[in-house]
Amino acid sequence: MIVDVHAHTPTHRDAVPDDERRVYTGWRTDRAVTTTNSWADYDEAMADADVSIVFNIAVDDPEAATGLPYRPEDTNTSTAAFVAADPAGRIGFMSVDPTRADAVEEAERCRELGLVGVKLGPNYQDFDPLSPRATAFYGYCEREGLPILFHQGASPIRHAPLRYTYPLVTDEIALAFPELRIVMAHMGHPWGKETVVTIRKHPHVYADVSSIYLRPWVCYESLLAAVEWGAAHKLLLGSDFPIANTGEAMAGLRRVNAITEGTALPRIPDEVVEQIIHADALGALGLSVKETP
């Protein structure tokens, strides 16, 4: 089974009207990214995945904060509706502001909607991931078995603080909440080594490879660190739709050794690449998909 653990909820149920189409130039260096997408666009992009994990990020102004234009009041309801339309192929994560007094109340509402994990982007949401209110929310997630996928590493959004996404912050969280299942997004790019030494030491902490294949040296260096530190089995496949799609992610990983041609640099073993593509992400995160009648 191929599981794509990192995709953003499409902005439109039906075809995107021309006057609502948006593109963003900061995510990739080779082309602009269309940030308004329909459910059908998502299905086409995820065609190579058997299951995908999908979410939004809870912020007051999504387009300014994340580059993705959706109504903030629909952050979780749109994800829940999207997942309900294909419960065998999609798993929905909620997003909340853990510093708000009603964070747990919102999480409980989202669980009733069928969302089974949490997406947090402390840089986009502008909260200190080690603050008392944030850590109290992690405790709730640990008790309730809700995995958290943290944005980790760089972002082109100017006002998003990088210090909130440094991978060693996640080490602090995992030390305090050893049973909390965590995914460190993007292998913490460009801090792949710091991400690797973190996932290596914590049994329930993983990293996804979303977007790293867009930068060949970052991809190679990060995967090599995972191999050398014996942590490659803690890596999960992710595309970061709409920035990329599952097929592009798989192809990018399989090209990782192109950068070594004609050099003495060590190669990433092919079996490691295939292990990432076919990783048991659902088992790692304690998740399952609903059976199709």
Side-chain angles (χ1 to χ4, degrees), residues 43-61:
D43 287 340
E44 181 179 356
M46 296 291 115
D48 290 302
D50 298 299
V51 178
S52 59
I53 294 177
V54 60
F55 43 73
N56 278 318
I57 302 175
V59 289
D60 292 334
D61 186 346

Side-chain angles (χ1 to χ4, degrees), residues 12-86:
H12 291 66
R13 180 186 294 258
D14 300 310
V16 180
D18 288 341
D19 62 345
E20 295 180 21
R21 185 175 182 272
R22 298 287 186 275
V23 297
Y24 187 71
T25 60
W27 294 120
R28 301 178 58 138
T29 56
D30 58 340
R31 63 171 174 83
V33 171
T34 301
T35 56
T36 43
N37 291 274
S38 68
W39 287 17
D41 294 331
Y42 182 98
D43 287 340
E44 181 179 356
M46 296 291 115
D48 290 302
D50 298 299
V51 178
S52 59
I53 294 177
V54 60
F55 43 73
N56 278 318
I57 302 175
V59 289
D60 292 334
D61 186 346
E63 187 164 13
T66 71
L68 299 172
Y70 49 89
R71 299 199 317 162
E73 60 268 32
D74 293 338
T75 295
N76 293 313
T77 53
S78 63
T79 299
F82 182 57
V83 169
D86 183 9

